[in-house]
Amino acid sequence: MNSPAKTLVADQSVEVSVKKRPVDPRPIFLAMQGGGAKGVAHVGALKAIEKFHYDIRGVSGTSAGSMVAALVSVGYKADEMVNIETREHLFTRSAEGLGFHQPIDIFPGTFWRKLKICRRIGAFFGYGHKPVPACPEPELSDADSLKRDRQKLDANKAERKKLEDLLIAASAKRCASRRAPPVTPLGKFMSVAAKAINTVLVTFGLSVRLSANLTWFFIYYCIPFGLVTFAVGAAIKNGPVITALIVSAVIVNGYLLVRQLLRWGWRFVGGLNTVGNVSLLIDRALTQKLAERGYVKEGGGITFGDLKRARERKVPVDTIPLKIVATNVAYECLELFCEDRTPDVKIGDAVAASVCLPFVFEPWNLTFYRHTETKTELIEGQFLDGGLVSNLPAWPFDEERVLSPSIGTIALSLESDVKIGKHWTSAVLGTVVNGSSMIHTRAAGSTLKIPLTPSMNMMQFDASAEDVWDVVSKTASAVEFRLAEELDTRAALQAAAKAMHGLFHSFVMDGVAEWFELVRNPRVRVAIVAERGGSMNSLSTVFTHGYKPSDVDRAVTRAASSWIFEKALRTNKPQIHFLDTRLPGDDVYKKEHIWAKARWIACFPMILPNPQSEMSGRRIRRFMLVVDSNMPFDESNPLIEDFKDLFVSHASVEVLQYFEKHDLLDSVQGDNTWI
């Protein structure tokens, strides 16, 4: 988290050196970004989060992230969604009764054929997904290798048999519902023409298959249109009557052609398929899980209000507050589905609305009452993918974070590899969907953003089971490594604040009656302040020792140009400020949130050794140790001025030695987003 390398590459294995990870039962909010088929990486991230025993107080999601967030809200664990060891998944648990055995079963009809054509066209123009080279597998013994190959072969045979059964059943159903058209000479001609055109396209390197219907369109619309147009020129020489007839034919054929193109274009704009089965799947999974935990709702239809009612029962069911983002087409605004605003909306419908990617899926229609801070209004209309307005919703829990500032947020983002030189048109949709994540993670309180780059395409819903296991496994390892790094760094800096407090407390108390005046309830406080998150001109108090919850500056952020920090940062030398002549009511105290009882403040800037060689190409993030106390220096001592200089210089050496010894100088040169 705090190292220069920020992105977690889920398609690369990460070795976790610590055998036993410490648990971290702190409360957190969890936000999950949308990303189509790449959303399966959220399951791996959730698996890592569960290992640290974080107490999830709220979960939010958009698009694919909303599907995982909905399951988490009712108590699903990562292994219940995708179990790497047993090779089971949600479809084997909750979807069998619906006839879904794998993700592609959710979208019936010709969706996959249409989607593959779109993906091939995109690949032809250079916008398609390029597979990431697989990581080298560890060397295995001959016996282990043979065992692994047999397992893969058995798994492939089982999957192929299941797919064949589904295809046979689908084919039989289609044949029973409609009679095959009679084979005519014209039909034979169309089939031969289609094969001929396909042969020509393959010869020129175009991997597109034309059906007989599409060939019919070219023969009956495009070719006559071209021939008639060519004949117009010749007809002009033969008289106005023939010319008028040919022009009329051109107009009629042109009208038919445009109408057919508009009809096809409208179908594409309206979406290739519906997300109705997504709503059914999510509702089925939520109903089953809540029933297992004691909250039974006949007929299903779990709503956001049901989550709240389950928690408030006499025998409560521990559900998690859920918030889902979608795009409201009619009102042209963001729609936030949650317990307070939309208690009567089915969670399955909210998820379906949030996953409606334009052009790929048809907009989802909803009618409900929205409860806002000022009124209740009836909302009806169409909804699209929430990624168009907020793809990484870390902000919906701002109010909860204000009430509980100590609760941090883990935001799981799905990102793509950087490709230099790609055409701007191919980056527009990705920028619209992902470009606002920096804004939407600037939420109240501390937010840890964990970027993931799974080796899957956003539209790769038909990924093999092995690809899914691989993404989940490697993402879990990567996120576990990142969280362990965050936990270790935070613990080390907190220990540093405690050690520095002991050092300065000894300095001050040993000098009482000679260098310091003893006061009632003597206190020495130590704080580590640093540039946090995206800040470049401010320093935040991040780790403290000796502070009380009532102290006004316990979690304060001050400008780097503040008179407290300015000289120490400019000169890279420790500075001490004496406050014994100021009054607690002065504006200086109020503006900078100074502890009213402080009589001096010492600032010790942390200086990196050889910063140019170690931080080449990176900006050095500023941080320092700030110490204050309510025990003033004894000005009656004639040697007090010499002692002040000695105190600052000696303390500075001790501070730098401690941070260098424990390798902490580089620990604040990353994101600094501790939670």
Side-chain angles (χ1 to χ4, degrees):
M1 173 214 57
N2 296 302
S3 60
K6 300 187 296 182
T7 303
L8 295 181
V9 183
D11 55 289
Q12 294 181 359
S13 59
V14 178
E15 294 294 336
V16 182
S17 58
V18 181
K19 293 183 179 180
K20 185 178 181 181
R21 287 295 181 199
V23 297
D24 190 14
R26 287 177 298 156
I28 63 166
F29 296 112
L30 183 61
M32 301 182 183
Q33 180 174 334
K38 296 194 295 185
V40 71
H42 287 313
V43 180
L46 180 64
K47 186 178 182 67
I49 291 173
E50 290 172 355
K51 288 185 177 181
F52 288 85
H53 294 211
Y54 284 106
D55 180 14
I56 302 177
R57 297 290 182 86
V59 59
S60 62
T62 296
S63 192
S66 70
M67 298 181 69
V68 181
L71 298 174
V72 171
S73 69
V74 297
Y76 273 95
K77 301 299 181 182
D79 284 342
E80 295 177 283
M81 302 180 200
V82 177
N83 193 310
I84 302 174
E85 286 75 21
T86 63
R87 293 298 196 258
E88 295 180 348
H89 48 76
L90 182 69
F91 288 86
T92 61
R93 171 187 172 90
S94 303
E96 288 187 348
L98 300 175
F100 308 148
H101 303 281
Q102 51 189 337
I104 61 175
D105 296 336
I106 299 178
F107 310 109
T110 60
F111 172 74
W112 292 111
R113 187 177 65 183
K114 297 174 183 177
L115 183 61
K116 287 180 179 180
I117 291 175
C118 294
R119 282 162 54 180
R120 287 175 179 175
I121 294 175
F124 173 74
F125 287 103
Y127 302 153
H129 172 70
K130 297 180 179 179
V132 180
C135 298
E137 298 184 358
E139 294 185 1
L140 301 175
S141 63
D142 294 340
D144 293 337
S145 178
L146 181 60
K147 182 179 179 181
R148 180 198 60 185
D149 293 340
R150 286 180 176 175
Q151 290 176 347
K152 288 184 177 180
L153 182 60
D154 294 339
N156 291 336
K157 287 182 178 179
E159 289 183 5
R160 188 162 57 250
K161 182 64 170 59
K162 184 182 295 184
L163 181 59
E164 289 175 355
D165 293 341
L166 290 174
L167 291 176
I168 293 173
S171 178
K173 185 177 181 181
R174 285 197 300 269
C175 292
S177 62
R178 64 183 182 184
R179 186 178 59 184
V183 179
T184 62
L186 182 59
K188 293 181 179 180
F189 172 75
M190 292 303 169
S191 300
V192 173
K195 292 179 180 179
I197 294 176
N198 289 329
T199 302
V200 173
L201 291 176
V202 171
T203 303
F204 285 96
L206 299 176
S207 57
V208 179
R209 302 283 304 174
L210 295 183
S211 64
N213 292 332
L214 194 56
T215 307
W216 186 289
F217 170 77
F218 276 106
I219 293 177
Y220 274 86
Y221 288 98
C222 297
I223 295 179
F225 183 82
L227 293 177
V228 172
T229 303
F230 173 77
V232 169
I236 293 176
K237 300 178 182 180
N238 299 325
V241 177
I242 298 178
T243 302
L245 292 175
I246 294 178
V247 170
S248 300
V250 170
I251 294 174
V252 172
N253 278 274
Y255 165 74
L256 295 175
L257 174 63
V258 172
R259 187 182 69 170
Q260 187 67 27
L261 291 176
L262 289 176
R263 183 180 300 174
W264 286 358
W266 181 253
R267 289 179 182 175
F268 176 71
V269 172
L272 301 177
N273 213 307
T274 178
V275 291
N277 286 340
V278 174
S279 177
L280 293 176
L281 173 64
I282 295 299
D283 185 69
R284 177 70 172 269
L286 301 185
T287 302
Q288 286 185 352
K289 190 62 176 180
L290 288 177
E292 291 175 3
R293 303 183 65 191
Y295 185 86
V296 180
K297 185 175 182 180
E298 295 295 336
I302 301 298
T303 66
F304 287 88
D306 287 324
L307 297 182
K308 188 174 183 179
R309 285 188 287 271
R311 291 196 301 273
E312 295 176 350
R313 293 177 60 195
K314 190 173 183 180
V315 180
V317 176
D318 293 332
T319 59
I320 301 174
L322 171 67
K323 301 191 179 185
I324 293 175
V325 174
T327 300
N328 191 320
V329 176
Y331 289 77
E332 299 181 358
C333 67
L334 179 150
E335 193 68 49
L336 179 63
F337 297 99
C338 59
E339 297 174 4
D340 297 327
R341 294 172 63 90
T342 58
D344 300 325
V345 173
K346 295 180 182 178
I347 296 176
D349 285 339
V351 171
S354 187
V355 303
C356 275
L357 189 65
F359 308 122
V360 178
F361 301 115
E362 299 174 3
W364 189 245
N365 294 295
L366 280 178
T367 301
F368 58 90
Y369 283 97
R370 179 204 292 159
H371 305 273
T372 67
E373 60 275 9
T374 57
K375 61 181 178 179
T376 298
E377 55 184 334
L378 178 64
I379 304 297
E380 55 183 344
Q382 295 181 327
F383 293 83
L384 287 173
D385 197 298
L388 300 176
V389 287
S390 179
N391 204 28
L392 183 53
W395 54 268
F397 291 102
D398 277 353
E399 184 177 3
E400 290 84 347
R401 277 185 286 258
V402 170
L403 297 175
S404 303
S406 61
I407 300 180
T409 302
I410 295 180
L412 303 174
S413 66
L414 298 170
E415 301 186 359
S416 302
D417 295 330
V418 177
K419 297 180 181 178
I420 305 300
K422 61 183 175 182
H423 197 272
W424 64 269
T425 55
S426 65
V428 170
L429 180 60
T431 303
V432 170
V433 172
N434 300 319
S436 60
S437 63
M438 180 180 294
I439 299 174
H440 298 150
T441 54
R442 288 193 172 186
S446 56
T447 301
L448 172 62
K449 180 182 176 183
I450 304 182
L452 307 175
T453 57
S455 58
M456 290 179 63
N457 184 11
M458 186 173 70
M459 303 304 298
Q460 197 176 350
F461 295 103
D462 53 348
S464 67
E466 290 301 325
D467 290 338
V468 173
W469 313 138
D470 188 62
V471 168
V472 171
S473 176
K474 291 176 179 177
T475 303
S477 297
V479 174
E480 182 180 354
F481 180 84
R482 178 69 176 273
L483 292 175
E485 184 185 37
E486 192 272 344
L487 183 60
D488 294 342
T489 302
R490 183 170 58 87
L493 290 174
Q494 187 62 60
K498 183 178 180 180
M500 292 299 97
H501 177 267
L503 175 68
F504 282 96
H505 187 269
S506 299
F507 279 168
V508 174
M509 297 307 296
D510 290 347
V512 170
E514 183 176 4
W515 308 111
F516 294 94
E517 297 178 10
L518 183 63
V519 298
R520 185 178 181 182
N521 298 325
R523 289 178 62 192
V524 176
R525 309 187 312 165
V526 170
I528 297 177
V529 299
E531 294 179 347
R532 188 168 193 172
S535 64
M536 299 176 63
N537 298 301
S538 62
L539 298 176
S540 301
T541 302
V542 288
F543 298 100
T544 62
H545 200 83
Y547 281 64
K548 293 182 178 180
S550 58
D551 291 344
V552 296
D553 56 345
R554 185 168 176 262
V556 70
T557 297
R558 299 185 178 98
S561 58
S562 168
W563 60 268
I564 302 176
F565 306 140
E566 189 274 332
K567 189 174 182 180
L569 293 175
R570 176 168 47 84
T571 61
N572 273 338
K573 295 181 179 180
Q575 300 293 328
I576 187 169
H577 305 280
F578 299 99
L579 310 176
D580 50 326
T581 59
R582 301 184 185 276
L583 296 176
D586 284 354
D587 291 338
V588 175
Y589 276 75
K590 294 180 179 179
K591 181 179 179 180
E592 301 296 345
H593 301 282
I594 302 296
W595 179 34
K597 297 181 179 181
R599 289 299 170 260
W600 53 269
I601 301 177
C603 300
F604 301 90
M606 300 291 107
I607 305 173
L608 292 174
N610 302 322
Q612 294 182 353
S613 61
E614 294 192 7
M615 302 297 294
S616 177
R618 291 183 58 86
R619 175 183 174 274
I620 297 177
R621 308 208 73 177
R622 297 171 291 185
F623 75 109
M624 64 174 63
L625 189 77
V626 178
V627 185
D628 60 10
S629 176
N630 61 348
M631 290 187 287
F633 285 86
D634 186 0
E635 299 294 340
S636 62
N637 191 319
L639 301 177
I640 192 62
E641 295 301 326
D642 293 335
F643 174 77
K644 291 176 182 178
D645 295 338
L646 181 64
F647 171 77
V648 172
S649 60
H650 178 65
S652 178
V653 172
E654 293 285 344
V655 169
L656 286 176
Q657 285 182 349
Y658 181 91
F659 275 75
E660 289 179 358
K661 179 181 178 181
H662 294 82
D663 296 327
L664 294 176
L665 294 177
D666 290 331
S667 61
V668 293
Q669 295 304 316
D671 295 337
N672 297 347
T673 51
W674 304 281
I675 58 174

